[in-house]
Amino acid sequence: MTEFGIAYSTVLAYGTVFMLPVLFFLFVFTLRFWKQKENPPALLSFISRHALLLSFLGALSSLFGSLIYSEIVGIPPCLLCWYQRILLYPQVALFGIALLRKDTTVFYYALPLTVIGFLIGAVQYTQQMLQKELVACGTGEVSCSIRYVFEFNFVTIPFMSLTLMTGLLLIGAIALRFKN
């Protein structure tokens, strides 16, 4: 991997590690106030109001991130990576259009894409951590269990995808539960 690829992976790994406690806190905080639909705390109200923008920016940055990995850094996507991209890329358009129309019902349409993407990412991450093919990766040249990125002894590209999908699920739940 080039110096740029190493630096790029390190920056994304730091961003992913930063998001883990943020998402955990937000999840616990959301559970704490889940029954209190009226007058939610300011944080949940803020996320609900800006959920479309947050989701759009998350999906867009992941789209560019995956393209930078494959087209600039030179990491070839495996079959499971392609499936995750197929589920992620349309969400950029969905959230972009919903943002323009201020349509929070998009979270219902994005939900299956996000959940399936999460599950595929979980399978691939498990394969990479075990360094074993649990699910056949097709006849492609690239194995789904190869760790091209392995920062902090646990952050891989599928782990970054899992973090994004978790964030999208959480933002969607907050947006639908605490609508203004």
Side-chain angles (χ1 to χ4, degrees):
M1 193 177 331
T2 65
E3 284 185 37
F4 172 76
I6 293 168
Y8 181 71
S9 294
T10 302
V11 168
L12 289 183
Y14 272 103
T16 301
V17 169
F18 171 78
M19 287 307 298
L20 294 176
V22 170
L23 291 174
F24 180 76
F25 167 78
L26 190 56
F27 176 73
V28 171
F29 191 75
T30 302
L31 284 180
R32 163 73 175 84
F33 294 99
W34 190 257
K35 291 184 180 181
Q36 182 183 326
K37 189 171 181 179
E38 301 300 319
N39 299 321
L43 176 63
L44 295 177
S45 182
F46 176 84
I47 292 171
S48 179
R49 277 194 317 274
H50 300 288
L52 292 171
L53 178 62
L54 293 170
S55 298
F56 174 72
L57 291 176
L60 183 65
S61 63
S62 294
L63 177 144
F64 284 127
S66 71
L67 289 175
I68 290 171
Y69 266 132
S70 61
E71 301 304 317
I72 296 174
V73 177
I75 296 175
C78 67
L79 184 64
L80 294 179
C81 289
W82 274 116
Y83 291 158
Q84 289 174 75
R85 287 179 178 198
I86 289 167
L87 296 162
L88 172 68
Y89 288 6
Q91 292 191 56
V92 176
L94 285 173
F95 288 124
I97 294 166
L99 181 61
L100 293 174
R101 300 187 69 208
K102 298 182 184 350
D103 182 8
T104 57
T105 61
V106 71
F107 291 106
Y108 293 113
Y109 306 119
L111 181 65
L113 299 172
T114 307
V115 169
I116 296 168
F118 178 90
L119 293 173
I120 292 171
V123 166
Q124 186 179 6
Y125 183 67
T126 302
Q127 283 187 185
Q128 286 186 346
M129 293 311 287
L130 297 177
Q131 292 190 312
K132 194 178 212 182
E133 295 283 337
L134 301 175
V135 174
C137 198
T139 59
E141 303 160 1
V142 183
S143 170
C144 296
S145 62
I146 293 176
R147 296 185 290 212
Y148 289 100
V149 173
F150 192 59
E151 300 286 339
F152 307 116
N153 291 323
F154 75 97
V155 177
T156 65
I157 295 172
F159 188 82
M160 293 177 198
S161 174
L162 284 170
T163 305
L164 168 77
M165 297 300 181
T166 301
L168 290 176
L169 287 170
L170 189 53
I171 290 168
I174 291 169
L176 293 173
R177 177 66 180 159
F178 301 103
K179 285 188 221 182
N180 292 339

